[in-house]
Structure formats: C-alpha cells, structure tokens
Amino acid sequence: MSFPRVKTSRGELRIHDSLDDLNTDLVEYISEISDASVKERGVFTIALSGGSLIGFLGKLCDAPYSKTIDWAKWYIFWVDERVVAKSHPDSNYKLAKDRLLTKVPVIPSHVHSINDSLSAEEAASEYEFGIRQLVKTRLISVSDVNDCPKFDLILLGMGPDGHVASLFPGHPALNVKDEWITFITDSPKPPPERITFTMPVINSASNVAVIATGGSKAEAMRLAVDASDVRPDSLALPARMVQPTKGKLVWFVDRQAALKLAGVQ
Ligand code: 6PG
C-alpha cells in the first residue's frame, strides 16, 4: 500500500485515498505497536475512544490479525466514556464489546471499563483509582517527565468541532492538569454526562493516533496541524493540544479530511 506519509511538527500525517486503505494501515499500526509493547514489557495497554474508529477496529477480528496478535497480553481502557448503562447503545464500552472484544480472545479481567452504577464524578474518581493501582504495579508504565500513566497506545477520534476524548473546545475540563480522569455533566454532544482522560494523560502516552475522516473534519484538521496558525482559538483547539511530550503522534486521515492541509509543514 502506498500513500503519502508527511512528517510535520505536529506529528506524522498518513493520508489515504480510501477508507479501506486507512483501515488496513490503522490495524497494521496497532498490531505493530502491540507486538513491540509485548516484546518490550510483556503487556500492551491500549485506551479506546468511541465513534467511527471502533468500526475500523473490527478488521482486527479478521486474519491475519486475529491469529497473530497476542490478545492475552492486551489490557484495554477507555479514553472517555458516556455515563450510561453498559448495555445502553450510547456506551463506548458496548460499542467496542460488540465490534471487537467479544470476537477476539482478550481476557475479560483485562478489560477496564467504568462502573456504570455510579455518578459521573464517582465513576471518574473510581476509574482513576483503578488506573493508579495498575501504575503502581507498573502494568501501566509511568511517564518519564511527570507521574502520569504512560499508555502504550491511545486511540482518539476527532469531532468536526475539534474535540478529542470528551474534551470539548472552551470547556474547563480541557485545562484540568491535576487529575488523570475528570468528568463533565454538560457535554455539548449528547449524552451530557461523561468521564474523560485529561490532556496530561493523553500527552503522556507512548503513542497517540487520531483518526479523522470526512469533509466535516477538514477545518478542524487544518487547525489541529497547521503550526503556522497561532491564533489563540486555534492553539486552544483540543485536537491541537494533543502534543505527546515524548511519545509519537500519528494522524490517520482520508482525502476529504485532509482537504485543507495543502502547504502544511
Ligand atoms: C463521543 C465520541 C466522540 C467521537 C468523535 C469522532 O463520545 O461522543 O466518542 O468523541 O470520538 O466525535 O467521532 P466520529 O469519528 O464518529 O466522527
């Protein structure tokens, strides 16, 4: 598969002609990071979002990935979750469960979803507590520059407004720095109650991938990667604030989402 890979100051851009090509590249990328993490640390810690990217992960259930990936070494988390019952169609956990987790041999106790019987505030605090225990045992690595968890891979979608995880433009949650997981009860995109990794946790990961497809994402993509645009609103766009401190950032986009990227350095 041949496609433009552009190195920019805002990470590597992988621009695909078709969603099929993007999908193949994305699952290859996940599989490579999984292999490297298992080789290096014996485990692979991955944090998922919701949205269309989960549809792409369905390809991991097919050969060769279904057989070659060391599923027993996967530990799965959610970058953000809607505070609804796990059986609710809005649940990011349910989405991943239906599309991927029930179709591959992951170990159920390695799947770390939120407690859906709690309030958003309680669920965020309990989820953070659980992650803190796994950082203590170093199942999840720790950042070299702060005390944040260092996930092997964080997968993010991006909304047309430039939101990532449940961190929305202009929302105070975007600037939370002293917590790993926070909560919101007024999400501009329904449902209103959510928990979310904070930006410092996202930026402490070893690898972060943002998947953005379709023309509705073109302007947000430009704002996210155009380093020459330093207007305060552009700099404050959540997708622009994704800047892994030591980790690697890759953008998986199709031609439509990349439409306004000409000339981006
Ligand atoms: C949510 C979704 C959301 C999603 C983006 C991109 O919780 O509302 O997870 O954050 O990731 O809006 O979604 P699409 O890729 O489906 O456009």
Side-chain angles (χ1 to χ4, degrees):
M1 191 180 16
S2 134
F3 57 88
R5 287 181 181 215
V6 188
K7 300 269 185 215
T8 79
S9 60
R10 295 280 301 116
E12 180 185 333
L13 274 168
R14 300 188 180 188
I15 303 170
H16 289 283
D17 285 332
S18 74
L19 294 181
D20 274 354
D21 285 355
L22 185 154
N23 201 348
T24 303
D25 186 33
L26 177 64
V27 294
E28 277 290 330
Y29 162 89
I30 295 170
S31 160
E32 279 166 19
I33 295 173
S34 164
D35 286 354
S37 304
V38 171
K39 203 165 164 197
E40 194 183 320
R41 305 198 309 110
V43 298
F44 173 54
T45 56
I46 178 169
L48 309 175
S49 305
S52 61
L53 85 85
I54 300 300
F56 292 126
L57 300 192
K59 199 175 176 72
L60 288 166
C61 310
D62 300 340
Y65 313 104
S66 54
K67 300 266 185 291
T68 54
I69 286 179
D70 196 347
W71 294 105
K73 305 287 170 42
W74 276 44
Y75 287 77
I76 298 153
F77 302 82
W78 274 265
V79 179
D80 68 323
E81 179 58 286
R82 289 102 172 259
V83 182
V84 294
K86 283 180 180 159
S87 55
H88 193 283
D90 280 345
S91 162
N92 284 342
Y93 162 79
K94 178 174 164 40
L95 189 64
K97 177 177 140 241
D98 293 349
R99 296 289 182 96
L100 177 68
L101 304 179
T102 49
K103 297 179 179 171
V104 291
V106 288
I107 295 175
S109 62
H110 293 181
V111 177
H112 295 272
S113 54
I114 68 162
N115 181 341
D116 62 354
S117 66
L118 301 176
S119 69
E121 182 171 11
E122 292 164 342
S125 138
E126 191 185 280
Y127 203 54
E128 177 168 326
F129 181 80
I131 289 177
R132 282 192 183 274
Q133 304 317 302
L134 298 175
V135 169
K136 270 189 196 147
T137 65
R138 292 294 185 269
L139 183 126
I140 303 173
S141 300
V142 65
S143 159
D144 314 319
V145 289
N146 53 39
D147 75 336
C148 279
K150 182 166 76 171
F151 287 90
D152 295 316
L153 175 60
I154 289 186
L155 295 178
L156 299 171
M158 181 184 74
D161 60 354
H163 84 263
V164 293
S166 284
L167 298 170
F168 292 88
H171 194 287
L174 193 51
N175 297 311
V176 173
K177 295 199 171 55
D178 53 351
E179 284 165 22
W180 292 356
I181 318 281
T182 192
F183 70 100
I184 63 173
T185 54
D186 57 355
S187 166
K189 182 179 175 190
E193 302 208 341
R194 290 146 176 266
I195 67 116
T196 179
F197 281 11
T198 56
M199 206 49 98
V201 172
I202 292 174
N203 284 334
S204 296
S206 297
N207 296 279
V208 180
V210 185
I211 296 89
T213 60
S216 69
K217 312 278 173 78
E219 179 60 9
M221 267 310 296
R222 189 191 67 71
L223 293 170
V225 304
D226 181 356
S228 69
D229 183 345
V230 292
R231 290 173 298 167
D233 279 0
S234 311
L235 295 175
L237 192 82
R240 179 74 171 264
M241 293 170 70
V242 176
Q243 298 170 14
T245 320
K246 294 247 175 132
K248 197 173 164 219
L249 174 61
V250 181
W251 304 82
F252 291 83
V253 296
D254 65 355
R255 291 272 170 205
Q256 285 73 28
L259 217 55
K260 298 191 178 180
L261 297 185
V264 166
Q265 300 300 307

